[in-house]
Amino acid sequence: MEYWKEEIETLSRPALEQLQVRRLQETLARASHSPFYKRMFAKKGIDAGSVRSLDDLKTLPFTTKDDLRNNYPYGFAAIPLKDCVRLHSSSGTTGNPTVVLHSRRDIDEWAEQVARCMYMVGLRDTDVFQNTSGYGMFTGGLGFQYGAERLGALTVPAAAGNTKRQIKFIKDFGTTCLHIIPSYAMRLAEVMHEEGIDSHETRLRVLCIGAEPHSEEQRRRIEQMLGVKAYNCFGMSEMNGPGVAFECTEQNGLHIWEDYVVAEIVDPHTLEPVVDGEVGELVLTTINREAMPLLRYRTRDLTRFLPGSCPCGRTHRRLSRFQGRSDDMIILKGVNLFPVQIETILMQFPELGGNYFITLETVGASDEMLVEVELSELFTDDYSVLQALARDVSRRLRDELLLTPRLKLVARGSLPVQEGKAVRVKDLRKII
Ligand code: AMP
Ligand code: ZN
């Protein structure tokens, strides 16, 4: 087995936890210089000595996205701005955006973190890496750029959009690896097919897919369509960006890098730790960041720890594929469900394409769900075949969701495609 930095990736659990405690103490000392934590620490009687074990971390208050917004732009800066070299901001839909600051060392560590992930999935300095993320404030651009350069790959900073140009680059430059949002990977595969390009004849072999929830079925479909291995990568701007957790070649859970963050999983309602192995909200504390430490940050992302050790030999724990964010949960007629559950069913039908859209609406006195899904290229216009297909899909949805959505099969290419993260749900329900 080859590692980017073997000593840290395979560090024994006791040594890793010892390192975490030491870094936590350093983090608390640093955080006490930020206006936000200075106030919090004074109010709650917290100081750098408050955490002597990982268990003590649980006594600290949580930090939320609202805290970031309310202290926009520099209320979390723990070092002077003259020592910061980068700012990333994520806009959000309401209120102030959030800001994350980085020192030179932070940027350097982040590059190491992403390089470690890329090496883990078999990428080397001989690879040609094409990044289809928007550059600028979105961290998937510069985050992967610096990581891939640290790895030594030849980088193609294609940035977002212009699918035909992306395909030309893949062919002309011999791209071996793409960083791409899963919904866009499906689109790219379709356009390649339409253009009559067989992806197996390109050098493409690895995809890093992330930034939005997706199902195992969608991953398999992307792999088949493009003839590649696709690895799930997870990150968020508040935790730098990409590289927080990443699948290894086992494709069974994402290693969360515990020399960078301390991860907890809590019940989103009680905020108490869940029983080990149960699904809950991921809470992260940065322990390797200078400019802007965050303590017990509530990510809103729902996942669980996978039990046991990974055959790859890495000791950093694994998280299961993300279900979505707690705010993505649909509550319909008392049933709780996530869009990826619907996706999981749809993707099992080869007659269906990858693009789907869920509308929640009030019909008469009742709330209903409409699922529109595109047909794949196996499309037929035989009405009775389509009807039989619709019946089958509806039955599978009902069995899985315990409610019966209205289903509409639509022609390929008729649902909207976003340039960034896919928007899958529209809620038009009236409060009656
Ligand atoms: P941003 O800060 O704009 O990069 O968005 C980060 C958010 O994207 C996370 O909090 C997750 O909700 C979502 N996200 C990122 N990567 C993944 C992934 N691999 N699977 C599911 N959701 C993801
Ligand atoms: Zn592994």
mmCIF file with all atom_site columns, all heavy atoms in Angstrom, residues 169-194:
data_model
loop_
_atom_site.group_PDB
_atom_site.id
_atom_site.type_symbol
_atom_site.label_atom_id
_atom_site.label_alt_id
_atom_site.label_comp_id
_atom_site.label_asym_id
_atom_site.label_entity_id
_atom_site.label_seq_id
_atom_site.pdbx_PDB_ins_code
_atom_site.Cartn_x
_atom_site.Cartn_y
_atom_site.Cartn_z
_atom_site.occupancy
_atom_site.B_iso_or_equiv
_atom_site.pdbx_formal_charge
_atom_site.auth_seq_id
_atom_site.auth_comp_id
_atom_site.auth_asym_id
_atom_site.auth_atom_id
_atom_site.pdbx_PDB_model_num
ATOM 1   N N   . PHE A 1 169 ? -10.841 19.567 -24.053 1.00 0.00 ? 169 PHE A N   1
ATOM 2   C CA  . PHE A 1 169 ? -9.652  19.521 -23.180 1.00 0.00 ? 169 PHE A CA  1
ATOM 3   C C   . PHE A 1 169 ? -9.320  18.080 -22.787 1.00 0.00 ? 169 PHE A C   1
ATOM 4   O O   . PHE A 1 169 ? -8.160  17.663 -22.786 1.00 0.00 ? 169 PHE A O   1
ATOM 5   C CB  . PHE A 1 169 ? -9.887  20.343 -21.901 1.00 0.00 ? 169 PHE A CB  1
ATOM 6   C CG  . PHE A 1 169 ? -9.858  21.837 -22.113 1.00 0.00 ? 169 PHE A CG  1
ATOM 7   C CD1 . PHE A 1 169 ? -10.202 22.694 -21.067 1.00 0.00 ? 169 PHE A CD1 1
ATOM 8   C CD2 . PHE A 1 169 ? -9.477  22.387 -23.320 1.00 0.00 ? 169 PHE A CD2 1
ATOM 9   C CE1 . PHE A 1 169 ? -10.174 24.073 -21.243 1.00 0.00 ? 169 PHE A CE1 1
ATOM 10  C CE2 . PHE A 1 169 ? -9.447  23.770 -23.506 1.00 0.00 ? 169 PHE A CE2 1
ATOM 11  C CZ  . PHE A 1 169 ? -9.799  24.611 -22.460 1.00 0.00 ? 169 PHE A CZ  1
ATOM 12  N N   . ILE A 1 170 ? -10.377 17.334 -22.424 1.00 0.00 ? 170 ILE A N   1
ATOM 13  C CA  . ILE A 1 170 ? -10.152 15.937 -22.004 1.00 0.00 ? 170 ILE A CA  1
ATOM 14  C C   . ILE A 1 170 ? -9.425  15.181 -23.125 1.00 0.00 ? 170 ILE A C   1
ATOM 15  O O   . ILE A 1 170 ? -8.453  14.465 -22.883 1.00 0.00 ? 170 ILE A O   1
ATOM 16  C CB  . ILE A 1 170 ? -11.498 15.243 -21.666 1.00 0.00 ? 170 ILE A CB  1
ATOM 17  C CG1 . ILE A 1 170 ? -12.122 15.864 -20.411 1.00 0.00 ? 170 ILE A CG1 1
ATOM 18  C CG2 . ILE A 1 170 ? -11.309 13.729 -21.474 1.00 0.00 ? 170 ILE A CG2 1
ATOM 19  C CD1 . ILE A 1 170 ? -13.536 15.402 -20.096 1.00 0.00 ? 170 ILE A CD1 1
ATOM 20  N N   . LYS A 1 171 ? -9.903  15.412 -24.351 1.00 0.00 ? 171 LYS A N   1
ATOM 21  C CA  . LYS A 1 171 ? -9.295  14.688 -25.489 1.00 0.00 ? 171 LYS A CA  1
ATOM 22  C C   . LYS A 1 171 ? -7.901  15.208 -25.803 1.00 0.00 ? 171 LYS A C   1
ATOM 23  O O   . LYS A 1 171 ? -6.942  14.469 -25.900 1.00 0.00 ? 171 LYS A O   1
ATOM 24  C CB  . LYS A 1 171 ? -10.174 14.871 -26.739 1.00 0.00 ? 171 LYS A CB  1
ATOM 25  C CG  . LYS A 1 171 ? -11.429 14.016 -26.702 1.00 0.00 ? 171 LYS A CG  1
ATOM 26  C CD  . LYS A 1 171 ? -12.088 13.954 -28.072 1.00 0.00 ? 171 LYS A CD  1
ATOM 27  C CE  . LYS A 1 171 ? -12.263 15.334 -28.670 1.00 0.00 ? 171 LYS A CE  1
ATOM 28  N NZ  . LYS A 1 171 ? -13.000 15.415 -29.889 1.00 0.00 ? 171 LYS A NZ  1
ATOM 29  N N   . ASP A 1 172 ? -7.798  16.548 -25.931 1.00 0.00 ? 172 ASP A N   1
ATOM 30  C CA  . ASP A 1 172 ? -6.537  17.124 -26.415 1.00 0.00 ? 172 ASP A CA  1
ATOM 31  C C   . ASP A 1 172 ? -5.410  17.022 -25.395 1.00 0.00 ? 172 ASP A C   1
ATOM 32  O O   . ASP A 1 172 ? -4.255  16.803 -25.753 1.00 0.00 ? 172 ASP A O   1
ATOM 33  C CB  . ASP A 1 172 ? -6.734  18.606 -26.785 1.00 0.00 ? 172 ASP A CB  1
ATOM 34  C CG  . ASP A 1 172 ? -7.675  18.766 -27.972 1.00 0.00 ? 172 ASP A CG  1
ATOM 35  O OD1 . ASP A 1 172 ? -8.107  17.736 -28.524 1.00 0.00 ? 172 ASP A OD1 1
ATOM 36  O OD2 . ASP A 1 172 ? -7.995  19.923 -28.329 1.00 0.00 ? 172 ASP A OD2 1
ATOM 37  N N   . PHE A 1 173 ? -5.746  17.220 -24.113 1.00 0.00 ? 173 PHE A N   1
ATOM 38  C CA  . PHE A 1 173 ? -4.681  17.271 -23.104 1.00 0.00 ? 173 PHE A CA  1
ATOM 39  C C   . PHE A 1 173 ? -4.447  15.916 -22.438 1.00 0.00 ? 173 PHE A C   1
ATOM 40  O O   . PHE A 1 173 ? -3.613  15.774 -21.558 1.00 0.00 ? 173 PHE A O   1
ATOM 41  C CB  . PHE A 1 173 ? -5.004  18.332 -22.038 1.00 0.00 ? 173 PHE A CB  1
ATOM 42  C CG  . PHE A 1 173 ? -5.208  19.712 -22.609 1.00 0.00 ? 173 PHE A CG  1
ATOM 43  C CD1 . PHE A 1 173 ? -6.109  20.599 -22.034 1.00 0.00 ? 173 PHE A CD1 1
ATOM 44  C CD2 . PHE A 1 173 ? -4.486  20.125 -23.723 1.00 0.00 ? 173 PHE A CD2 1
ATOM 45  C CE1 . PHE A 1 173 ? -6.295  21.873 -22.572 1.00 0.00 ? 173 PHE A CE1 1
ATOM 46  C CE2 . PHE A 1 173 ? -4.671  21.400 -24.269 1.00 0.00 ? 173 PHE A CE2 1
ATOM 47  C CZ  . PHE A 1 173 ? -5.578  22.268 -23.692 1.00 0.00 ? 173 PHE A CZ  1
ATOM 48  N N   . GLY A 1 174 ? -5.253  14.927 -22.804 1.00 0.00 ? 174 GLY A N   1
ATOM 49  C CA  . GLY A 1 174 ? -5.086  13.593 -22.200 1.00 0.00 ? 174 GLY A CA  1
ATOM 50  C C   . GLY A 1 174 ? -5.425  13.597 -20.715 1.00 0.00 ? 174 GLY A C   1
ATOM 51  O O   . GLY A 1 174 ? -4.720  12.976 -19.902 1.00 0.00 ? 174 GLY A O   1
ATOM 52  N N   . THR A 1 175 ? -6.494  14.308 -20.381 1.00 0.00 ? 175 THR A N   1
ATOM 53  C CA  . THR A 1 175 ? -6.909  14.387 -18.970 1.00 0.00 ? 175 THR A CA  1
ATOM 54  C C   . THR A 1 175 ? -7.160  12.987 -18.410 1.00 0.00 ? 175 THR A C   1
ATOM 55  O O   . THR A 1 175 ? -7.864  12.179 -19.027 1.00 0.00 ? 175 THR A O   1
ATOM 56  C CB  . THR A 1 175 ? -8.208  15.225 -18.880 1.00 0.00 ? 175 THR A CB  1
ATOM 57  O OG1 . THR A 1 175 ? -7.911  16.533 -19.383 1.00 0.00 ? 175 THR A OG1 1
ATOM 58  C CG2 . THR A 1 175 ? -8.734  15.296 -17.464 1.00 0.00 ? 175 THR A CG2 1
ATOM 59  N N   . THR A 1 176 ? -6.562  12.717 -17.237 1.00 0.00 ? 176 THR A N   1
ATOM 60  C CA  . THR A 1 176 ? -6.781  11.403 -16.608 1.00 0.00 ? 176 THR A CA  1
ATOM 61  C C   . THR A 1 176 ? -7.733  11.502 -15.432 1.00 0.00 ? 176 THR A C   1
ATOM 62  O O   . THR A 1 176 ? -8.301  10.507 -15.008 1.00 0.00 ? 176 THR A O   1
ATOM 63  C CB  . THR A 1 176 ? -5.443  10.812 -16.100 1.00 0.00 ? 176 THR A CB  1
ATOM 64  O OG1 . THR A 1 176 ? -4.849  11.769 -15.204 1.00 0.00 ? 176 THR A OG1 1
ATOM 65  C CG2 . THR A 1 176 ? -4.489  10.519 -17.243 1.00 0.00 ? 176 THR A CG2 1
ATOM 66  N N   . CYS A 1 177 ? -7.872  12.715 -14.859 1.00 0.00 ? 177 CYS A N   1
ATOM 67  C CA  . CYS A 1 177 ? -8.719  12.876 -13.681 1.00 0.00 ? 177 CYS A CA  1
ATOM 68  C C   . CYS A 1 177 ? -9.524  14.167 -13.774 1.00 0.00 ? 177 CYS A C   1
ATOM 69  O O   . CYS A 1 177 ? -8.996  15.212 -14.152 1.00 0.00 ? 177 CYS A O   1
ATOM 70  C CB  . CYS A 1 177 ? -7.831  12.918 -12.433 1.00 0.00 ? 177 CYS A CB  1
ATOM 71  S SG  . CYS A 1 177 ? -8.742  13.334 -10.935 1.00 0.00 ? 177 CYS A SG  1
ATOM 72  N N   . LEU A 1 178 ? -10.794 14.054 -13.418 1.00 0.00 ? 178 LEU A N   1
ATOM 73  C CA  . LEU A 1 178 ? -11.659 15.246 -13.373 1.00 0.00 ? 178 LEU A CA  1
ATOM 74  C C   . LEU A 1 178 ? -12.133 15.459 -11.951 1.00 0.00 ? 178 LEU A C   1
ATOM 75  O O   . LEU A 1 178 ? -12.492 14.487 -11.261 1.00 0.00 ? 178 LEU A O   1
ATOM 76  C CB  . LEU A 1 178 ? -12.929 15.025 -14.191 1.00 0.00 ? 178 LEU A CB  1
ATOM 77  C CG  . LEU A 1 178 ? -12.949 15.104 -15.693 1.00 0.00 ? 178 LEU A CG  1
ATOM 78  C CD1 . LEU A 1 178 ? -14.371 14.815 -16.173 1.00 0.00 ? 178 LEU A CD1 1
ATOM 79  C CD2 . LEU A 1 178 ? -12.498 16.482 -16.164 1.00 0.00 ? 178 LEU A CD2 1
ATOM 80  N N   . HIS A 1 179 ? -12.181 16.716 -11.504 1.00 0.00 ? 179 HIS A N   1
ATOM 81  C CA  . HIS A 1 179 ? -12.951 17.032 -10.304 1.00 0.00 ? 179 HIS A CA  1
ATOM 82  C C   . HIS A 1 179 ? -14.253 17.621 -10.812 1.00 0.00 ? 179 HIS A C   1
ATOM 83  O O   . HIS A 1 179 ? -14.254 18.615 -11.550 1.00 0.00 ? 179 HIS A O   1
ATOM 84  C CB  . HIS A 1 179 ? -12.211 18.030 -9.412  1.00 0.00 ? 179 HIS A CB  1
ATOM 85  C CG  . HIS A 1 179 ? -13.062 18.555 -8.303  1.00 0.00 ? 179 HIS A CG  1
ATOM 86  N ND1 . HIS A 1 179 ? -13.230 19.894 -8.054  1.00 0.00 ? 179 HIS A ND1 1
ATOM 87  C CD2 . HIS A 1 179 ? -13.823 17.894 -7.398  1.00 0.00 ? 179 HIS A CD2 1
ATOM 88  C CE1 . HIS A 1 179 ? -14.052 20.040 -7.037  1.00 0.00 ? 179 HIS A CE1 1
ATOM 89  N NE2 . HIS A 1 179 ? -14.431 18.854 -6.619  1.00 0.00 ? 179 HIS A NE2 1
ATOM 90  N N   . ILE A 1 180 ? -15.387 17.034 -10.408 1.00 0.00 ? 180 ILE A N   1
ATOM 91  C CA  . ILE A 1 180 ? -16.646 17.399 -11.027 1.00 0.00 ? 180 ILE A CA  1
ATOM 92  C C   . ILE A 1 180 ? -17.816 17.108 -10.095 1.00 0.00 ? 180 ILE A C   1
ATOM 93  O O   . ILE A 1 180 ? -17.784 16.141 -9.330  1.00 0.00 ? 180 ILE A O   1
ATOM 94  C CB  . ILE A 1 180 ? -16.777 16.636 -12.389 1.00 0.00 ? 180 ILE A CB  1
ATOM 95  C CG1 . ILE A 1 180 ? -17.967 17.108 -13.209 1.00 0.00 ? 180 ILE A CG1 1
ATOM 96  C CG2 . ILE A 1 180 ? -16.827 15.124 -12.197 1.00 0.00 ? 180 ILE A CG2 1
ATOM 97  C CD1 . ILE A 1 180 ? -17.877 16.702 -14.685 1.00 0.00 ? 180 ILE A CD1 1
ATOM 98  N N   . ILE A 1 181 ? -18.826 17.958 -10.144 1.00 0.00 ? 181 ILE A N   1
ATOM 99  C CA  . ILE A 1 181 ? -20.038 17.733 -9.366  1.00 0.00 ? 181 ILE A CA  1
ATOM 100 C C   . ILE A 1 181 ? -20.800 16.564 -10.003 1.00 0.00 ? 181 ILE A C   1
ATOM 101 O O   . ILE A 1 181 ? -20.894 16.507 -11.239 1.00 0.00 ? 181 ILE A O   1
ATOM 102 C CB  . ILE A 1 181 ? -20.885 19.032 -9.353  1.00 0.00 ? 181 ILE A CB  1
ATOM 103 C CG1 . ILE A 1 181 ? -20.168 20.096 -8.523  1.00 0.00 ? 181 ILE A CG1 1
ATOM 104 C CG2 . ILE A 1 181 ? -22.277 18.797 -8.799  1.00 0.00 ? 181 ILE A CG2 1
ATOM 105 C CD1 . ILE A 1 181 ? -20.908 21.419 -8.438  1.00 0.00 ? 181 ILE A CD1 1
ATOM 106 N N   . PRO A 1 182 ? -21.343 15.625 -9.208  1.00 0.00 ? 182 PRO A N   1
ATOM 107 C CA  . PRO A 1 182 ? -21.960 14.429 -9.805  1.00 0.00 ? 182 PRO A CA  1
ATOM 108 C C   . PRO A 1 182 ? -23.050 14.740 -10.830 1.00 0.00 ? 182 PRO A C   1
ATOM 109 O O   . PRO A 1 182 ? -23.109 14.082 -11.880 1.00 0.00 ? 182 PRO A O   1
ATOM 110 C CB  . PRO A 1 182 ? -22.529 13.657 -8.610  1.00 0.00 ? 182 PRO A CB  1
ATOM 111 C CG  . PRO A 1 182 ? -22.113 14.373 -7.389  1.00 0.00 ? 182 PRO A CG  1
ATOM 112 C CD  . PRO A 1 182 ? -21.265 15.536 -7.754  1.00 0.00 ? 182 PRO A CD  1
ATOM 113 N N   . SER A 1 183 ? -23.913 15.728 -10.560 1.00 0.00 ? 183 SER A N   1
ATOM 114 C CA  . SER A 1 183 ? -24.983 16.015 -11.524 1.00 0.00 ? 183 SER A CA  1
ATOM 115 C C   . SER A 1 183 ? -24.381 16.489 -12.855 1.00 0.00 ? 183 SER A C   1
ATOM 116 O O   . SER A 1 183 ? -24.890 16.190 -13.930 1.00 0.00 ? 183 SER A O   1
ATOM 117 C CB  . SER A 1 183 ? -25.959 17.064 -10.972 1.00 0.00 ? 183 SER A CB  1
ATOM 118 O OG  . SER A 1 183 ? -25.263 18.181 -10.477 1.00 0.00 ? 183 SER A OG  1
ATOM 119 N N   . TYR A 1 184 ? -23.282 17.209 -12.769 1.00 0.00 ? 184 TYR A N   1
ATOM 120 C CA  . TYR A 1 184 ? -22.639 17.684 -14.002 1.00 0.00 ? 184 TYR A CA  1
ATOM 121 C C   . TYR A 1 184 ? -21.895 16.547 -14.704 1.00 0.00 ? 184 TYR A C   1
ATOM 122 O O   . TYR A 1 184 ? -21.787 16.520 -15.937 1.00 0.00 ? 184 TYR A O   1
ATOM 123 C CB  . TYR A 1 184 ? -21.714 18.867 -13.696 1.00 0.00 ? 184 TYR A CB  1
ATOM 124 C CG  . TYR A 1 184 ? -21.148 19.515 -14.941 1.00 0.00 ? 184 TYR A CG  1
ATOM 125 C CD1 . TYR A 1 184 ? -21.998 19.962 -15.942 1.00 0.00 ? 184 TYR A CD1 1
ATOM 126 C CD2 . TYR A 1 184 ? -19.782 19.646 -15.129 1.00 0.00 ? 184 TYR A CD2 1
ATOM 127 C CE1 . TYR A 1 184 ? -21.496 20.525 -17.106 1.00 0.00 ? 184 TYR A CE1 1
ATOM 128 C CE2 . TYR A 1 184 ? -19.270 20.211 -16.283 1.00 0.00 ? 184 TYR A CE2 1
ATOM 129 C CZ  . TYR A 1 184 ? -20.122 20.653 -17.277 1.00 0.00 ? 184 TYR A CZ  1
ATOM 130 O OH  . TYR A 1 184 ? -19.623 21.201 -18.426 1.00 0.00 ? 184 TYR A OH  1
ATOM 131 N N   . ALA A 1 185 ? -21.402 15.585 -13.929 1.00 0.00 ? 185 ALA A N   1
ATOM 132 C CA  . ALA A 1 185 ? -20.727 14.433 -14.534 1.00 0.00 ? 185 ALA A CA  1
ATOM 133 C C   . ALA A 1 185 ? -21.708 13.665 -15.413 1.00 0.00 ? 185 ALA A C   1
ATOM 134 O O   . ALA A 1 185 ? -21.353 13.200 -16.505 1.00 0.00 ? 185 ALA A O   1
ATOM 135 C CB  . ALA A 1 185 ? -20.160 13.516 -13.447 1.00 0.00 ? 185 ALA A CB  1
ATOM 136 N N   . MET A 1 186 ? -22.964 13.548 -14.950 1.00 0.00 ? 186 MET A N   1
ATOM 137 C CA  . MET A 1 186 ? -23.986 12.863 -15.755 1.00 0.00 ? 186 MET A CA  1
ATOM 138 C C   . MET A 1 186 ? -24.209 13.621 -17.062 1.00 0.00 ? 186 MET A C   1
ATOM 139 O O   . MET A 1 186 ? -24.324 13.045 -18.134 1.00 0.00 ? 186 MET A O   1
ATOM 140 C CB  . MET A 1 186 ? -25.323 12.807 -15.002 1.00 0.00 ? 186 MET A CB  1
ATOM 141 C CG  . MET A 1 186 ? -25.281 12.107 -13.683 1.00 0.00 ? 186 MET A CG  1
ATOM 142 S SD  . MET A 1 186 ? -25.259 10.314 -13.819 1.00 0.00 ? 186 MET A SD  1
ATOM 143 C CE  . MET A 1 186 ? -26.891 10.001 -14.351 1.00 0.00 ? 186 MET A CE  1
ATOM 144 N N   . ARG A 1 187 ? -24.266 14.927 -16.928 1.00 0.00 ? 187 ARG A N   1
ATOM 145 C CA  . ARG A 1 187 ? -24.500 15.780 -18.104 1.00 0.00 ? 187 ARG A CA  1
ATOM 146 C C   . ARG A 1 187 ? -23.343 15.654 -19.099 1.00 0.00 ? 187 ARG A C   1
ATOM 147 O O   . ARG A 1 187 ? -23.545 15.499 -20.298 1.00 0.00 ? 187 ARG A O   1
ATOM 148 C CB  . ARG A 1 187 ? -24.656 17.222 -17.602 1.00 0.00 ? 187 ARG A CB  1
ATOM 149 C CG  . ARG A 1 187 ? -24.790 18.262 -18.638 1.00 0.00 ? 187 ARG A CG  1
ATOM 150 C CD  . ARG A 1 187 ? -26.240 18.416 -19.103 1.00 0.00 ? 187 ARG A CD  1
ATOM 151 N NE  . ARG A 1 187 ? -26.291 19.149 -20.362 1.00 0.00 ? 187 ARG A NE  1
ATOM 152 C CZ  . ARG A 1 187 ? -26.852 18.679 -21.467 1.00 0.00 ? 187 ARG A CZ  1
ATOM 153 N NH1 . ARG A 1 187 ? -27.443 17.516 -21.495 1.00 0.00 ? 187 ARG A NH1 1
ATOM 154 N NH2 . ARG A 1 187 ? -26.850 19.409 -22.561 1.00 0.00 ? 187 ARG A NH2 1
ATOM 155 N N   . LEU A 1 188 ? -22.143 15.721 -18.569 1.00 0.00 ? 188 LEU A N   1
ATOM 156 C CA  . LEU A 1 188 ? -20.943 15.612 -19.412 1.00 0.00 ? 188 LEU A CA  1
ATOM 157 C C   . LEU A 1 188 ? -20.944 14.272 -20.151 1.00 0.00 ? 188 LEU A C   1
ATOM 158 O O   . LEU A 1 188 ? -20.660 14.210 -21.359 1.00 0.00 ? 188 LEU A O   1
ATOM 159 C CB  . LEU A 1 188 ? -19.689 15.717 -18.533 1.00 0.00 ? 188 LEU A CB  1
ATOM 160 C CG  . LEU A 1 188 ? -18.371 15.677 -19.281 1.00 0.00 ? 188 LEU A CG  1
ATOM 161 C CD1 . LEU A 1 188 ? -17.910 17.099 -19.589 1.00 0.00 ? 188 LEU A CD1 1
ATOM 162 C CD2 . LEU A 1 188 ? -17.297 14.973 -18.485 1.00 0.00 ? 188 LEU A CD2 1
ATOM 163 N N   . ALA A 1 189 ? -21.311 13.211 -19.431 1.00 0.00 ? 189 ALA A N   1
ATOM 164 C CA  . ALA A 1 189 ? -21.332 11.885 -20.052 1.00 0.00 ? 189 ALA A CA  1
ATOM 165 C C   . ALA A 1 189 ? -22.367 11.857 -21.183 1.00 0.00 ? 189 ALA A C   1
ATOM 166 O O   . ALA A 1 189 ? -22.108 11.291 -22.256 1.00 0.00 ? 189 ALA A O   1
ATOM 167 C CB  . ALA A 1 189 ? -21.659 10.824 -19.007 1.00 0.00 ? 189 ALA A CB  1
ATOM 168 N N   . GLU A 1 190 ? -23.506 12.495 -20.958 1.00 0.00 ? 190 GLU A N   1
ATOM 169 C CA  . GLU A 1 190 ? -24.548 12.518 -22.002 1.00 0.00 ? 190 GLU A CA  1
ATOM 170 C C   . GLU A 1 190 ? -24.074 13.278 -23.234 1.00 0.00 ? 190 GLU A C   1
ATOM 171 O O   . GLU A 1 190 ? -24.254 12.825 -24.363 1.00 0.00 ? 190 GLU A O   1
ATOM 172 C CB  . GLU A 1 190 ? -25.816 13.184 -21.455 1.00 0.00 ? 190 GLU A CB  1
ATOM 173 C CG  . GLU A 1 190 ? -26.650 12.255 -20.592 1.00 0.00 ? 190 GLU A CG  1
ATOM 174 C CD  . GLU A 1 190 ? -27.867 12.961 -19.988 1.00 0.00 ? 190 GLU A CD  1
ATOM 175 O OE1 . GLU A 1 190 ? -28.122 14.149 -20.310 1.00 0.00 ? 190 GLU A OE1 1
ATOM 176 O OE2 . GLU A 1 190 ? -28.553 12.321 -19.182 1.00 0.00 ? 190 GLU A OE2 1
ATOM 177 N N   . VAL A 1 191 ? -23.451 14.428 -22.993 1.00 0.00 ? 191 VAL A N   1
ATOM 178 C CA  . VAL A 1 191 ? -22.990 15.227 -24.142 1.00 0.00 ? 191 VAL A CA  1
ATOM 179 C C   . VAL A 1 191 ? -21.900 14.473 -24.908 1.00 0.00 ? 191 VAL A C   1
ATOM 180 O O   . VAL A 1 191 ? -21.878 14.460 -26.140 1.00 0.00 ? 191 VAL A O   1
ATOM 181 C CB  . VAL A 1 191 ? -22.508 16.628 -23.690 1.00 0.00 ? 191 VAL A CB  1
ATOM 182 C CG1 . VAL A 1 191 ? -21.941 17.415 -24.861 1.00 0.00 ? 191 VAL A CG1 1
ATOM 183 C CG2 . VAL A 1 191 ? -23.639 17.399 -23.032 1.00 0.00 ? 191 VAL A CG2 1
ATOM 184 N N   . MET A 1 192 ? -21.027 13.804 -24.197 1.00 0.00 ? 192 MET A N   1
ATOM 185 C CA  . MET A 1 192 ? -19.977 13.022 -24.878 1.00 0.00 ? 192 MET A CA  1
ATOM 186 C C   . MET A 1 192 ? -20.624 11.984 -25.777 1.00 0.00 ? 192 MET A C   1
ATOM 187 O O   . MET A 1 192 ? -20.202 11.784 -26.919 1.00 0.00 ? 192 MET A O   1
ATOM 188 C CB  . MET A 1 192 ? -19.107 12.305 -23.844 1.00 0.00 ? 192 MET A CB  1
ATOM 189 C CG  . MET A 1 192 ? -17.889 13.084 -23.457 1.00 0.00 ? 192 MET A CG  1
ATOM 190 S SD  . MET A 1 192 ? -16.976 12.182 -22.208 1.00 0.00 ? 192 MET A SD  1
ATOM 191 C CE  . MET A 1 192 ? -15.363 12.222 -22.877 1.00 0.00 ? 192 MET A CE  1
ATOM 192 N N   . HIS A 1 193 ? -21.652 11.356 -25.222 1.00 0.00 ? 193 HIS A N   1
ATOM 193 C CA  . HIS A 1 193 ? -22.357 10.328 -25.977 1.00 0.00 ? 193 HIS A CA  1
ATOM 194 C C   . HIS A 1 193 ? -22.998 10.929 -27.233 1.00 0.00 ? 193 HIS A C   1
ATOM 195 O O   . HIS A 1 193 ? -22.854 10.389 -28.336 1.00 0.00 ? 193 HIS A O   1
ATOM 196 C CB  . HIS A 1 193 ? -23.410 9.700  -25.062 1.00 0.00 ? 193 HIS A CB  1
ATOM 197 C CG  . HIS A 1 193 ? -24.075 8.526  -25.671 1.00 0.00 ? 193 HIS A CG  1
ATOM 198 N ND1 . HIS A 1 193 ? -23.517 7.266  -25.651 1.00 0.00 ? 193 HIS A ND1 1
ATOM 199 C CD2 . HIS A 1 193 ? -25.231 8.419  -26.340 1.00 0.00 ? 193 HIS A CD2 1
ATOM 200 C CE1 . HIS A 1 193 ? -24.308 6.439  -26.285 1.00 0.00 ? 193 HIS A CE1 1
ATOM 201 N NE2 . HIS A 1 193 ? -25.363 7.106  -26.717 1.00 0.00 ? 193 HIS A NE2 1
ATOM 202 N N   . GLU A 1 194 ? -23.671 12.093 -27.032 1.00 0.00 ? 194 GLU A N   1
ATOM 203 C CA  . GLU A 1 194 ? -24.316 12.760 -28.170 1.00 0.00 ? 194 GLU A CA  1
ATOM 204 C C   . GLU A 1 194 ? -23.310 13.133 -29.255 1.00 0.00 ? 194 GLU A C   1
ATOM 205 O O   . GLU A 1 194 ? -23.610 13.090 -30.441 1.00 0.00 ? 194 GLU A O   1
ATOM 206 C CB  . GLU A 1 194 ? -25.010 14.049 -27.706 1.00 0.00 ? 194 GLU A CB  1
ATOM 207 C CG  . GLU A 1 194 ? -26.363 13.793 -27.036 1.00 0.00 ? 194 GLU A CG  1
ATOM 208 C CD  . GLU A 1 194 ? -26.808 14.983 -26.181 1.00 0.00 ? 194 GLU A CD  1
ATOM 209 O OE1 . GLU A 1 194 ? -26.286 16.111 -26.369 1.00 0.00 ? 194 GLU A OE1 1
ATOM 210 O OE2 . GLU A 1 194 ? -27.664 14.768 -25.327 1.00 0.00 ? 194 GLU A OE2 1
#
